[in-house]
Amino acid sequence: MSSPSAPAARAPRRATRDLHEPIIGGVASGLARHLAVPVLWVRVAFVLTAVIGGMGIFFYAGLWLFLPAGDHFETAAPGLESATRGGRRPGRIRRLTDAGPVVALAALGLGLLFATEAVFGRGALIWPVAIAIAGIALLWRQADEAQRERWLDTTGRINVSRVILGDGGWASYARLAAGAGLIVVALLVFSLRSGSLSVALDVTFAALAGVAGLGLVMGPWIFRLASELTEERAERVRTQERADMAAHLHDSVLQTLALIQKNSDDAATVARLARSQERDLRAWLYSEESTDEATVASALRGVAAEVEDAHGVAVDVVTVGDRDLTEALRPAVAATREAVTNAAKHAGVSRVDVYAEITGEAVDVFVRDRGKGFDPDATPEDRYGVRHSIIDRMDRHGGTATIRSAVGEGTEVHLHLPRPADQEADEE
Amino acid sequence: MSTETGTIGVVIVDDHAMFRRGVRAELEAAGAGVVRVLAEAADVDEAVAAIGEHRPDVVLLDVHLPGGGGAEVMRRATSPDTRYLALSVSDAAEDVIGTIRGGARGYVTKTITGPELVSAIRRVADGDAVFSPRLAGFVLDAFAGSIEVAAVDEDLDRLTEREREVMRLIARGYAYKEVAKELFISIKTVETHMSSVLRKLQLSSRHELTRWASDRRLL
């Protein structure tokens, strides 16, 4: 909902491989997203060009090699990441719907393969080559899986066996063995076929193929190792920042606990301390929702946090949509602060709800409590800050403030601030 | 079946023993005669086994759970009449919406008070939906702007004006009764609207919802 994915200075769009639900290497879906075409078209194109002359295979392999992995190091809030690592959240979801087209494409490709074979009678060459390609693909895919691991062992060094085998486990060993085995089989078939030629030719060819195979197998690892070191470094910086933050938070938790022990006979203070600490931790662990003045939603959350700390009530903020906080919108935030403070001070309840709808045309804020309520018509002019700081303020800036309240039924303040006309030219 | 005594049978699933104890104590205090705790479970496997054995009416389900999270429990459990109420400390949009799409009929945060929790359990047991203000906010956000294109959209993929009003009031912190009073409709009608929003949230393949969700990496 609220957290705006504030796009920093527009970076050039780069194609990436889609690692969320890859079928082989995520190249097709990554490319489809980059080109904004249906992924099926891309897959059909790859299969067609693969069958006609094999270009598609090399093209795919090249892209697999050179496209960076998509959002590989994208990070979630630490609490969510930890829950994911601990298996306490659902993992990546495989799209079953993709299986259909893939099976169809595979059948089509196989059919075309047989057709070519039947027409040109080149069956002799196609099978060894196909087996070799399958082997290399398996190995590349394995390299890819391994790459998803952090590649670092506990000492922070790059661990070669982890690079090759990922987490280990029989599956990765089996894949590795299958890939290597397929290449060997392909070489064997090849040398048997060409047994009619001189032995020297055989040996040379086998050696060349071996070197080429090694290059193909090692290529992706070496290339990626180099290309992702920078990302790794950036990730390390982020981790360090996060560690600092964690230290700060733990410190503040300790302080809070000390304060709670000291005030353990004062229920209101304990509740306030607990609430404020809870808010800190929750924001950091799960939502990374800021409380600064960058956007309307975060400014409102900041207001709520201040009032919570000052008056010991819980203020729940729900926002829909968000925009940058401009000068023109500040009155709405200031009036919200007044309204929430009033509710905290006078309503006599422990909870205030704030709901904000922030659209392109207007900002609407509702501040609601279920407290004592009052009769707006009967309130003396001088006594309530409402008239001055809320209604007049909103009026001055072209908005409106509506107060609904009745004795015993709580109070709801509705603030409405349309976007000023001169603002519209500035944005978008 | 657990309803033989007229009470609502509940299984508490959470990996923190202290929290389970707290909820149990609260339910026994605030829900005496209404809610009966049948069992507790600390991870997905235990939960699936406990649900299979006790066939509870309602499962209080933590979103983050060893073994694949709360959604995994709903996927594997074999008790068709059991309903799920998600209870979480995480307010992350992807977790909330993901759990609802996994089959939960409601979502409340762990700071909910005992009586509120009992009434939420009763609603879920009756087949109604339970929306916290925050969940209502997510729904409005996810279905934002759909009214303008209402003419062409599938029914599942947009909220009606009435459903939107209900969601907005829930997000503003109104209780069901207050929503009904505000809109001059019956509580039953409010409940119908909520259930229909829940259904849309679970079934919609709405482009906007998909994109909104995948921005948060959940589909």
Side-chain angles (χ1 to χ4, degrees):
Chain A
M1 36 136 262
S2 41
S3 53
S5 48
R10 185 165 298 185
R13 237 157 52 85
R14 294 184 63 195
T16 55
R17 285 181 298 121
D18 181 1
L19 291 186
H20 284 286
E21 47 286 294
I23 287 172
I24 304 173
V27 171
S29 56
L31 207 59
R33 183 184 295 174
H34 187 68
L35 302 174
V37 294
V39 65
L40 195 63
W41 295 8
V42 181
R43 294 210 170 109
V44 167
F46 271 125
V47 168
L48 280 182
T49 46
V51 171
I52 307 167
M55 266 315 286
I57 295 171
F58 294 108
F59 196 45
Y60 192 98
L63 284 172
W64 195 349
L65 190 58
F66 288 107
L67 285 187
D71 57 31
H72 178 192
F73 286 128
E74 198 173 298
T75 49
L80 298 181
E81 280 200 343
S82 152
T84 307
R85 275 197 295 272
R88 280 174 286 131
R89 299 175 82 216
R92 288 188 299 146
I93 302 159
R94 298 244 162 213
R95 286 177 312 174
L96 282 177
T97 47
D98 258 7
V102 170
V103 169
L105 285 178
L108 183 72
L110 218 60
L112 284 171
L113 194 74
F114 283 128
T116 351
E117 215 175 318
V119 173
F120 300 105
R122 296 194 310 175
L125 263 180
I126 282 176
W127 281 112
V129 168
I131 294 173
I133 285 172
I136 290 164
L138 263 175
L139 281 169
W140 276 27
R141 186 169 163 84
Q142 174 57 29
D144 225 29
E145 299 246 312
Q147 181 212 6
R148 270 175 223 144
E149 304 302 319
R150 285 295 151 106
W151 279 18
L152 296 178
D153 58 16
T154 41
T155 60
R157 268 195 220 103
I158 287 169
N159 184 328
V160 179
S161 73
R162 259 185 90 172
V163 169
I164 298 175
L165 292 170
D167 261 350
W170 67 270
S172 47
Y173 285 103
R175 267 197 296 260
L176 196 66
L182 280 171
I183 292 182
V184 169
V185 166
L187 280 175
L188 273 179
V189 171
F190 219 89
S191 56
L192 277 181
R193 296 244 179 227
S194 45
S196 58
L197 299 171
S198 75
V199 178
L201 192 65
D202 258 2
V203 170
T204 321
F205 194 70
L208 276 177
V211 171
L214 209 63
L216 277 172
V217 167
M218 297 303 290
W221 293 332
I222 294 167
F223 177 79
R224 292 215 184 93
L225 198 61
S227 74
E228 292 201 353
L229 269 180
T230 29
E231 283 182 53
E232 193 69 58
R233 212 169 290 137
E235 168 69 5
R236 200 145 45 227
V237 171
R238 266 200 294 278
T239 312
Q240 278 161 0
E241 276 170 5
R242 198 158 274 174
D244 289 347
M245 186 71 183
H248 164 76
L249 269 176
H250 291 170
D251 194 49
S252 78
V253 171
L254 281 181
Q255 307 274 14
T256 306
L257 289 174
L259 283 173
I260 285 178
Q261 286 177 46
K262 267 192 224 162
N263 295 292
S264 56
D265 47 351
D266 180 354
T269 308
V270 169
R272 196 180 73 222
L273 288 168
R275 170 80 186 172
S276 130
Q277 191 62 63
E278 183 209 329
R279 192 184 55 234
D280 268 15
L281 283 176
R282 183 196 295 283
W284 184 69
L285 275 176
Y286 293 115
S287 44
E288 292 189 319
E289 284 177 351
S290 50
T291 52
D292 56 14
E293 302 241 301
T295 69
V296 179
S298 70
L300 289 176
R301 281 193 292 270
V303 163
E306 271 173 45
V307 177
E308 279 190 348
D309 286 346
H311 299 281
V313 296
V315 183
D316 282 333
V317 181
V318 174
T319 56
V320 170
D322 204 358
R323 286 171 55 193
D324 287 342
L325 179 62
T326 55
E327 275 310 311
L329 295 176
R330 270 179 205 282
V333 175
T336 305
R337 183 194 310 272
E338 267 336 294
V340 177
T341 310
N342 271 337
K345 270 202 227 159
H346 304 303
V349 287
S350 59
R351 182 176 147 181
V352 180
D353 285 294
V354 176
Y355 169 67
E357 220 173 71
I358 305 149
T359 62
E361 292 83 49
V363 174
D364 280 284
V365 183
F366 297 85
V367 178
R368 176 177 166 78
D369 68 69
R370 287 212 183 67
K372 294 206 272 281
F374 62 95
D375 184 351
D377 300 326
T379 315
E381 288 278 328
D382 56 329
R383 219 230 88 204
Y384 83 111
V386 170
R387 173 130 296 146
H388 211 70
S389 50
I390 300 180
I391 300 179
D392 289 352
R393 190 199 298 269
M394 294 304 287
D395 277 349
R396 271 203 305 280
H397 293 91
T400 54
T402 323
I403 296 169
R404 285 173 45 180
S405 185
V407 175
E409 287 189 13
T411 307
E412 185 174 59
V413 180
H414 174 196
L415 308 168
H416 173 81
L417 188 63
R419 175 150 92 163
D422 59 321
Q423 190 83 26
E424 280 168 43
D426 292 358
E427 294 174 33
E428 293 163 337
Chain B
M1 217 24 222
S2 49
T3 36
E4 82 250 346
T5 53
T7 57
I8 302 168
V10 172
V11 168
I12 303 171
V13 182
D14 194 296
D15 53 335
H16 294 108
M18 207 155 93
F19 181 78
R20 290 201 304 271
R21 261 204 308 282
V23 171
R24 190 188 264 267
E26 269 191 337
L27 288 183
E28 276 159 7
V34 183
V35 172
R36 201 158 42 92
V37 179
L38 302 171
E40 296 176 13
D43 60 34
V44 170
D45 293 333
E46 279 182 36
V48 173
I51 293 166
E53 185 187 339
H54 296 281
R55 311 239 149 223
D57 301 297
V58 176
V59 175
L60 289 183
L61 194 59
D62 190 10
V63 171
H64 293 166
L65 204 60
E72 183 70 11
V73 174
M74 293 186 277
R75 208 174 58 75
R76 278 174 44 194
T78 52
S79 173
D81 297 329
T82 297
R83 297 188 167 113
Y84 298 87
L85 175 62
L87 197 61
S88 171
V89 75
S90 157
D91 276 338
E94 51 183 304
D95 285 345
V96 179
I97 301 288
T99 310
I100 296 292
R101 283 179 80 95
R105 295 203 58 86
Y107 171 90
V108 292
T109 47
K110 283 185 173 177
T111 46
I112 189 171
T113 63
E116 280 175 333
L117 182 58
V118 171
S119 101
I121 290 174
R122 191 184 306 146
R123 278 187 197 290
V124 170
D126 288 344
D128 293 323
V130 172
F131 284 59
S132 67
R134 186 160 273 250
L135 176 52
F138 287 155
V139 171
L140 286 170
D141 221 0
F143 286 88
S146 59
I147 290 305
E148 287 77 50
V149 290
V152 283
D153 267 353
E154 290 263 342
D155 260 3
L156 264 184
D157 295 342
R158 63 190 172 89
L159 300 182
T160 64
E161 190 52 47
R162 206 46 152 179
E163 286 162 357
R164 190 173 286 270
E165 279 170 16
V166 170
M167 280 296 116
R168 212 173 263 142
L169 287 171
I170 298 282
R172 276 157 68 177
Y174 280 58
Y176 284 44
K177 214 167 38 185
E178 294 164 326
V179 174
K181 194 172 153 221
E182 177 77 21
L183 298 178
F184 304 107
I185 53 182
S186 71
I187 294 188
K188 198 70 225 155
T189 314
V190 175
E191 282 164 354
T192 312
H193 285 310
M194 307 274 279
S195 294
S196 116
V197 173
L198 184 84
R199 201 173 60 93
K200 290 178 182 178
L201 199 55
Q202 285 172 342
L203 300 180
S204 171
S205 54
R206 181 172 199 274
H207 171 66
E208 227 92 322
L209 180 63
T210 315
R211 202 189 55 199
W212 180 84
S214 74
D215 280 350
R216 286 158 177 77
R217 279 166 294 140
L218 82 95
L219 287 178

